[in-house]
Amino acid sequence: MSFDYDLFVIGGGSGGVRAARVAAGETGAKVGLAEEDRYGGTCVIRGCVPKKLMVFASGYSSMVDEAQAYGWDIQPGTFDWPGFRGKLEAELDRLEGIYRKLLANSGVDSFDTRATIKDAHTVQLSTGETRTAKHILVATGGHPVVPDVPGAELAITSNEIFHLKKLPKSILIVGGGFIACEFACILHGMGIEVMQYYRGAQILRGFDDEARGLIATDMRESGIDICTGTNVLEMRKQGDRIWVKATNGDEKVFDQVMFATGRDPNTSGMGLEETGVKLGRRGEIVVDDYSQTAVPSIYAIGDVTNRINLTPVAIREAMVFVDTVFRGNPTPVDHDLVPSAVFTQPELGTVGLSEEDAREQEPIEVYSTSFKPMQSSFAGKPDRVLMKLVVSQKTRKVLGCHIVAPAAGEMIQLAGIAIKMGATKEDFDQTVAVHPTMSEEIVTMRAPVRTA
Ligand code: NDP
């Protein structure tokens, strides 16, 4: 049977674009790709990239008093949001152009339209046309979800935050995960009064407890009002502001409310279940270790599968999908020891098991140190950093590394290589320190602070 394409990809985000251009450019496959919105997906258009630029922008406010403490005669200024936003939009346009060009240069046919699945080998385009393909790859990503509380429609999500005409004076951020904590820090750094409601006892559930504790302390010390054990009960419009009643009975008025309460996979109305593709409880596409769905010709990668929802993971999944399907080299996706960073201020860099998860698994030693780094100590700032290793008593392997510090994201990338290679605590000990740095502590912690 002949098809229009060897591969048709639905979704032009990090995962979809990578799979399409590698399959076409490096294996000679005939590839089509449909994207209903902007090329680059969540990461480039409304996630990692604009977020990180906002992290940079917001970081300058705290540098002024630090610079003064170092002898600079400079004064705080005001933040020009419209000016910054204009440059941000231009940068995203540029990046989207690169994504389009990468596809075109690899010989991929791009369709600027929504596509759904008609049957195991056919996609339906919203233009009314259909295309057939030997393999279909679904890489449609996810979208923010908002809890079902009265007045929730008054709030924004991370999708809208980049497009605000003007910055609010005050904001309530709801949630305690990646997005909530990152934006609490970003917006605080831009001079906004930030309150954060989190329904649990401590923000950043799932990360190492000690790291979460230090980030919460640092965020509170910087002036972010984190209220744990608290959620939104009801919201109402009050003039051009938003009145919020909390589960603890508090009533407060904010200029803006942002929900960062998780994301769900983009699978509704896609024709997936009708074709035989199995979906999980959150609507995620259920796949095997090779990203293959219950329909053998249909694969899925990235956030739509709700495995580890990170751009580099989606890209990895794309690469091994191409190895498996187009290079005759079936390769399972490796989701073990994925390093990641939360871009709070200070950042959290993490790889491997938290102390809490590791001690459920086996006897461990914990090496941990928290201190005021030289740069902020000299400036009289209270910020502390954390360097922590969780080590197996039996194999001596480092099971987890957790760093809370400025640029922890940069540090954990490098620590991640050693840990992925199976480095032991003694391998860390044998590595000579780079002095004077914060990260030298990771190779100079001699005695465990506890065993468990
Ligand atoms: P997360 O799953 O990380 O966090 C969602 C938060 O919302 C949790 O604190 C959760 O609470 C809370 N929540 C969920 N439902 C409700 C509700 N009904 N009422 C109140 N609170 C609620 O999702 P995010 O949206 O922050 O981010 C989505 C994903 O995107 C992340 O998991 C991550 O994979 C990725 N991401 C990665 C980044 C990075 O690498 N730096 C940055 C941003 C996003 P509870 O803990 O109790 O469940």
Side-chain angles (χ1 to χ4, degrees), residues 246-312:
T247 45
N248 63 5
D250 269 2
E251 295 180 31
K252 292 200 163 55
V253 181
F254 302 90
D255 289 337
Q256 192 67 263
V257 178
M258 172 174 152
F259 281 112
T261 42
R263 295 173 59 86
D264 275 353
N266 286 332
T267 47
S268 86
M270 288 285 303
L272 289 159
E273 281 176 300
E274 296 82 339
T275 314
V277 172
K278 296 267 174 305
L279 301 186
R281 248 165 46 83
R282 290 195 77 142
E284 75 276 14
I285 298 181
V286 178
V287 289
D288 67 9
D289 289 347
Y290 300 87
S291 299
Q292 191 172 30
T293 72
V295 178
S297 59
I298 303 180
Y299 287 72
I301 56 167
D303 289 7
V304 76
T305 60
N306 199 24
R307 289 176 282 180
I308 299 180
N309 298 336
L310 299 172
T311 294

Side-chain angles (χ1 to χ4, degrees), residues 1 3 5-8 10 116-124 131-138 270-277 292-299:
M1 185 172 168
F3 300 102
Y5 291 103
D6 299 313
L7 171 67
F8 199 98
I10 307 182
T116 55
I117 308 254
K118 193 166 177 209
D119 63 42
H121 292 286
T122 313
V123 292
Q124 174 75 55
R131 290 289 185 281
T132 58
K134 185 162 183 214
H135 302 284
I136 296 172
L137 178 67
V138 184
M270 288 285 303
L272 289 159
E273 281 176 300
E274 296 82 339
T275 314
V277 172
Q292 191 172 30
T293 72
V295 178
S297 59
I298 303 180
Y299 287 72

Side-chain angles (χ1 to χ4, degrees), residues 61-62 65 169-171 173 181 183-196 214-227 254 345-346 381-383:
S61 59
S62 64
D65 36 328
K169 285 205 172 58
S170 65
I171 191 164
I173 297 182
C181 294
F183 275 97
C185 294
I186 290 169
L187 299 175
H188 170 72
M190 289 178 170
I192 298 169
E193 199 182 301
V194 178
M195 183 168 258
Q196 185 177 351
L214 182 58
I215 290 176
T217 303
D218 281 353
M219 284 171 68
R220 285 193 172 110
E221 257 167 16
S222 75
I224 298 167
D225 197 352
I226 303 174
C227 306
F254 302 90
Q345 291 162 14
K381 295 177 116 183
D383 322 12

